[in-house]
Amino acid sequence: MADSRTPPDVDRAAASRRAVAARRERASLKRDVTTRVITPQDLLRRALADPDSAAGHMRVPEFLTAIPAIGDGKRDRILDELKISPVKRLGGLGARQRVDLQAFLDERLPEPAPRAGRSRLVVLAGPTAVGKGTVAQHIKEHHPEILLSVSATTRAPRPGEVDGEHYFFVDDAEFDRMVEAGELLEHATVHNKYRYGTPRGPIDAALADGRTVLLEIDLQGARQVRAAAPDATLVFLLPPSWDELVNRLVGRGTEDDEERARRLRTAKVELASQGEFDFRVVNDTVPRAAAEVAALAR
Ligand code: 5GP
């Protein structure tokens, strides 16, 4: 008769596979904190909500050093100050320790608060490859009441792109003329290559008609809009995780290795700017993220 018990070496192999998977999951969460895809407070909330999750199993020192600007020395001082043992896991913190750690994070790393009194000029920005274009396109198709601004660019059309619909494709001389004539609300050179700019006329007309206008532009452009129209609604699109952003960047496959590495470095810098935005939306699925952005735009 077959032995119904699982042989111990199979047990051990399965347990070790589970341990490896759990370590990977914790490492991925730490990258999310380091790259600011999630705030430390987000991670702590997940850990406390489910102490058995990857977040819950993370040791407090690991958590602290994942936070940008906390090195080993600072980590030890914080643990001392909060009276937390270095072997403690986030999910196993005592009531007092939770409150103290939360207060510490809120004081040192305040989470961006939404601003009030925003206008109907909505800017959608976010890191490279997060899917801004796809979300904007979805909004265009499903929310005809919102005007998706058509930018001018000096880059050549890709197959299937239509002049005046996806972009106004112009040469350098025409772009210079638009800048000099003050026809652009903002303009920037993106990825050190081509110039992109937002024509002002159609936006002013739509806003005057009481319509909502959506700009899908890069970070430099978002900052210029903030300066030109301080009450604009700035929305930052986030990936569900850092690893997912890397997947999307690699999956797109339109860039060579050097270009990909450069875009990843850019994405890290871009993620660090999310505190300048009024709202953050996670692009987990396109229809859901698009619905959230459209609701903010109302
Ligand atoms: P693509 O060439 O792939 O269509 O766009 C490249 C980048 O240019 C995207 O990050 C997009 O957000 C940005 N972009 C598109 N239009 C504008 C614009 O009018 N102004 C600025 N600043 N960026 C833009």
Side-chain angles (χ1 to χ4, degrees):
M1 197 176 78
D3 188 344
S4 63
R5 285 169 306 168
T6 317
D9 53 340
V10 173
D11 264 357
R12 269 201 303 278
S16 120
R17 268 200 306 280
R18 273 199 303 275
V20 168
R23 253 202 312 279
R24 263 204 208 117
E25 212 181 323
R26 288 200 299 277
S28 149
L29 277 175
K30 283 197 285 181
R31 283 195 292 280
D32 291 344
V33 171
T34 304
T35 53
R36 297 181 169 86
V37 168
I38 62 174
T39 64
Q41 286 92 329
D42 284 333
L43 180 55
L44 182 58
R45 278 191 287 270
R46 285 186 205 176
L48 299 179
D50 182 2
D52 258 340
S53 63
H57 282 184
M58 189 180 295
R59 290 192 197 278
V60 182
E62 276 189 277
F63 167 69
L64 289 173
T65 45
I67 299 171
I70 297 189
D72 294 355
K74 234 188 205 170
R75 171 200 62 198
D76 294 344
R77 282 197 298 281
I78 297 165
L79 290 172
D80 264 4
E81 187 187 314
L82 301 179
K83 301 193 175 58
I84 298 176
S85 146
V87 296
K88 262 284 178 214
R89 294 179 191 273
L90 286 176
L93 288 170
R96 178 82 256 155
Q97 293 173 325
R98 290 176 187 198
V99 171
D100 288 350
L101 182 55
Q102 261 157 350
F104 166 85
L105 295 173
D106 288 342
E107 190 192 330
R108 306 283 178 92
L109 308 150
E111 289 180 291
R115 296 159 165 238
R118 304 286 94 208
S119 84
R120 287 176 169 278
L121 178 58
V122 182
V123 175
L124 182 64
T128 302
V130 73
K132 284 175 302 201
T134 319
V135 169
Q137 208 51 42
H138 195 276
I139 292 172
K140 181 180 169 180
E141 281 160 23
H142 294 85
H143 297 269
E145 74 283 7
I146 298 175
L147 173 74
L148 178 60
S149 159
V150 179
S151 299
T153 181
T154 58
R155 85 153 161 77
R158 297 190 185 122
E161 282 182 337
V162 177
D163 187 38
E165 190 182 324
H166 298 94
Y167 282 103
F168 295 106
F169 296 100
V170 300
D171 59 15
D172 269 307
E174 172 62 4
F175 200 94
D176 284 340
R177 192 202 59 74
M178 294 173 100
V179 172
E180 272 154 38
E183 290 177 15
L184 301 178
L185 174 64
E186 60 74 39
H187 61 94
T189 302
V190 179
H191 300 314
N192 293 325
K193 265 193 168 154
Y194 300 109
R195 293 193 288 168
Y196 295 80
T198 305
R200 197 191 283 277
I203 295 178
D204 289 346
L207 289 175
D209 282 349
R211 288 183 72 189
T212 292
V213 178
L214 182 68
L215 311 186
E216 185 260 292
I217 58 178
D218 87 323
L219 190 64
Q220 313 164 70
R223 288 187 175 129
Q224 290 178 41
V225 173
R226 168 69 89 214
D231 63 347
T233 306
L234 265 55
V235 183
F236 195 87
L237 194 64
L238 281 165
S241 69
W242 170 256
D243 291 351
E244 180 58 31
L245 185 64
V246 175
N247 278 344
R248 288 179 193 181
L249 202 48
V250 173
R252 199 152 72 171
T254 46
E255 299 89 17
D256 60 25
D257 283 355
E258 196 184 318
E259 173 67 9
R260 211 162 26 230
R262 210 173 56 70
R263 286 193 175 206
L264 275 179
R265 281 198 301 277
T266 307
K268 278 193 185 158
V269 174
E270 288 167 337
L271 279 168
S273 74
Q274 60 187 274
E276 299 170 34
F277 285 72
D278 303 306
F279 300 99
R280 298 184 300 163
V281 171
V282 177
N283 187 14
D284 40 12
T285 72
V286 171
R288 201 211 58 77
E292 194 179 337
V293 174
L296 290 174
R298 258 177 233 124

